[in-house]
Amino acid sequence: MLDERVRSALTAETRFGDIRLLQETESTNQVVADLAAEGAPEGLVVVADVQTRGRGRLDRTWEAEPGAGLLVSVLLRPQGLDPQRWHLLTAAAGLAGQAACLEISGVGPDLKWPNDLLIGERKLAGILAEVPSPGPTGSPAVVVGMGLNVHSGPPGAAVLDQAAGRRIGRAALLVAWLRSLDSLLGRWDAVADAYREHCATVGRFVRVEGVAGVYTEGQAVGVDDHGRLLIRIASGDTSAISVGDVTHLHSAR
Ligand code: BT5
């Protein structure tokens, strides 16, 4: 999937020098989490053709036929970044996904809070950030994984090949994502600003289903410094949501 020239360029220019390509695994996030617990350094990348237990948030699954999508996880060790701002790692991965799609396929998906890339209202990609045990080094670890439908996806999902009208290379997309992610990491204020600017949820009327099945409806008016979605509800008050599934209802008029 990656030739030597590309690998050495990534090693020279980014933190992502150690890229492991697997045919099949349970979950690339799990592989990276296990290696993090053994002390692997920041920059490890694991890519798989197929996952037997690809996961989403809240015990959900990520589905992808063998070879159909980009299934990738990276190990980050965000030294010096307040854990309250670790949501910026998900934001950076989403912004990098958007940039990589645009660069390689000409299609620029929308970012939906907190962790999706959409084409229209269909989901193209999802991002999952998990905090494994930091390992023997004691330095903090965050695994950031992305699943992106390149050649096909489950019914109702967006697929990059279809949106672009041609076959898109998974390797090119991977390299563009890693380069873009590398350039964003550490520029935390810029990531926060770019996320607010590019997040298509902000400005929309939305319904959010929270963890306990509690619904909040209103206009999304921003994302705060903790990564929470701010919703202006009917009473005029603002509600801050940290975890939930958003449905975009209609645009602001
Ligand atoms: C996510 O969760 O969207 C995060 C998905 C992260 C997957 C990557 S793949 C590489 C790495 N290794 C892993 O094990 N995981 C990461 P969430 O927001 O909870 O959305 C999950 C929901 O998306 C599912 O319940 C389905 O409804 C839907 N879904 C599953 N597979 C999909 C696909 N291929 N395309 C679009 N939607 C999908």
Side-chain angles (χ1 to χ4, degrees):
M1 189 183 181
L2 285 180
D3 68 31
E4 272 319 308
R5 214 165 31 88
V6 172
R7 276 182 186 273
S8 14
L10 281 170
T11 307
E13 293 160 27
T14 75
R15 75 200 68 205
F16 299 118
D18 182 0
I19 304 178
R20 307 190 189 180
L21 304 176
L22 309 177
Q23 214 157 50
E24 178 178 312
T25 188
E26 184 184 325
S27 150
T28 54
N29 265 34
Q30 189 58 51
V31 176
V32 173
D34 291 345
L35 292 166
E38 290 167 17
E42 168 162 279
L44 170 70
V45 183
V46 173
V47 182
D49 268 346
V50 64
Q51 298 180 125
T52 51
R53 286 186 58 183
R55 56 191 188 231
R57 295 174 304 151
L58 310 166
D59 281 337
R60 294 190 287 226
T61 55
W62 186 258
E63 292 163 36
E65 293 291 317
L70 179 59
L71 307 170
V72 53
S73 300
V74 297
L75 175 58
L76 303 176
R77 292 194 179 273
Q79 310 243 23
L81 179 67
D82 184 333
Q84 300 228 355
R85 300 188 86 199
W86 283 1
H87 60 89
L88 293 175
L89 301 173
T90 301
L95 287 163
Q98 193 179 43
C101 287
L102 192 58
E103 180 190 332
I104 304 301
S105 75
V107 175
D110 283 331
L111 280 172
K112 183 176 117 176
W113 183 91
N115 67 327
D116 290 347
L117 294 184
L118 301 185
I119 295 179
E121 289 306 321
R122 291 169 181 246
K123 183 158 168 167
L124 174 74
I127 288 155
L128 178 66
E130 296 179 295
V131 179
S133 108
T137 61
S139 88
V142 181
V143 179
V144 180
M146 180 174 73
L148 192 152
N149 305 319
V150 183
H151 306 312
S152 68
V159 174
L160 196 57
D161 280 0
Q162 281 168 18
R166 63 192 169 89
R167 194 170 168 88
I168 301 301
R170 286 185 302 155
L173 206 56
L174 169 68
V175 171
W177 185 67
L178 292 173
R179 282 190 197 282
S180 177
L181 183 58
D182 188 70
S183 73
L184 290 167
L185 295 172
R187 296 168 50 217
W188 303 120
D189 292 340
V191 168
D193 289 346
Y195 185 78
R196 286 190 184 102
E197 190 185 324
H198 291 282
C199 179
T201 306
V202 176
R204 300 286 296 250
F205 283 85
V206 296
R207 180 184 305 121
V208 186
E209 185 181 358
V211 265
V214 179
Y215 285 88
T216 309
E217 223 172 275
Q219 186 179 14
V221 291
V223 176
D224 73 9
D225 290 340
H226 301 282
R228 297 178 302 187
L229 186 65
L230 300 174
I231 299 185
R232 193 182 304 126
I233 54 178
S235 66
D237 290 344
T238 301
S239 182
I241 313 268
S242 19
V243 184
D245 287 311
V246 172
T247 306
H248 287 163
L249 299 176
H250 54 86
S251 298
R253 277 178 288 249

